[in-house]
């Protein structure tokens, strides 16, 4: 194989998405997964197992939509990495089940992170959860914090906690 052919193959290869440890397959039944796999195949116009900006542009164009580059870029940025089938399922699960995105959940916790060090007082957060907005019961708060990453000083490592919530890690 010539070095020119090898370099062309390297340039043409797309970086594959890293495998994510996710419980997203538990959200959907087998029929839904099959239907979403078919939809993913339609989105993945160039059949490289990654949905990228060009794929989205092609799908929207085939639907008669002339989306701006900014709009398409914003769609792709909803994912924390390349959109492989598992990430596609995760995104669809979030949109269909009404859960907030990882960035939205992080932003909510960051409002309580006064020192901006990734830690929140568990006691203050528990009080807020039971006294503000859609109030949690003591039992719900206890369940929420049962496996939460808490420091010996009683501070929640919320970035790690959000990863646990969204990716089952």
């Amino acid at each position: 194989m010539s070095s020119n052919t090898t370099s062309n193959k390297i340039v043409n290869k797309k970086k594959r998405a890293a495998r994510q440890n996710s419980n997203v397959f538990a959200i959907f039944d087998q029929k839904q997964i099959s239907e979403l796999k078919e939809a993913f195949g339609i989105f993945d116009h160039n059949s490289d197992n990654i949905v990228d900006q060009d794929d989205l542009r092609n799908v929207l164009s085939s639907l008669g939509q002339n989306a701006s580059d900014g709009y398409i870029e914003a769609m792709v940025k909803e994912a924390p990495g390349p959109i492989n089938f598992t990430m596609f399922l995760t995104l669809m699960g979030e949109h269909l089940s009404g859960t907030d995105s990882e960035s939205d959940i992080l932003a909510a916790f960051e409002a309580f992170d006064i020192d901006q060090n990734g830690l929140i007082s568990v006691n203050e957060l528990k009080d807020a959860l039971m006294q503000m907005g859609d109030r949690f019961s003591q039992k719900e708060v206890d369940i929420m914090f049962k496996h939460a990453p808490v420091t010996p000083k009683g501070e929640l490592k919320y970035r790690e906690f959000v990863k646990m919530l969204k990716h089952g890690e």
Side-chain angles (χ1 to χ4, degrees), residues 13-27:
K13 262 190 183 176
K14 291 215 176 191
K15 187 175 179 182
R16 294 183 63 87
R19 232 188 179 145
Q20 301 240 346
N21 178 14
S22 177
N23 60 357
V24 70
F25 289 95
I27 296 172

Side-chain angles (χ1 to χ4, degrees), residues 52-54 56-57 60 67-79 83:
D52 59 20
Q53 289 185 21
D54 290 335
L56 286 174
R57 188 174 287 102
L60 292 171
S68 70
D69 288 342
Y71 179 77
I72 291 172
E73 186 176 324
M75 288 177 71
V76 171
K77 283 187 176 179
E78 283 188 41
I83 305 173

Side-chain angles (χ1 to χ4, degrees), residues 132-149:
M132 298 170 61
D134 293 333
R135 295 182 177 135
F136 282 47
S137 69
Q138 182 65 51
K139 183 179 179 182
E140 290 170 325
V141 169
D142 291 342
I143 291 168
M144 179 177 155
F145 283 97
K146 185 174 183 176
H147 298 289

Side-chain angles (χ1 to χ4, degrees), residues 74 101 115:
S101 70
D115 297 328

Side-chain angles (χ1 to χ4, degrees), residues 153-167:
K153 292 183 177 180
E155 297 171 309
L156 175 68
K157 299 176 189 176
Y158 67 86
R159 289 183 183 102
E160 193 175 319
F161 186 57
V162 170
K163 277 189 176 180
M164 287 172 59
L165 292 173
K166 296 303 286 182
H167 303 288

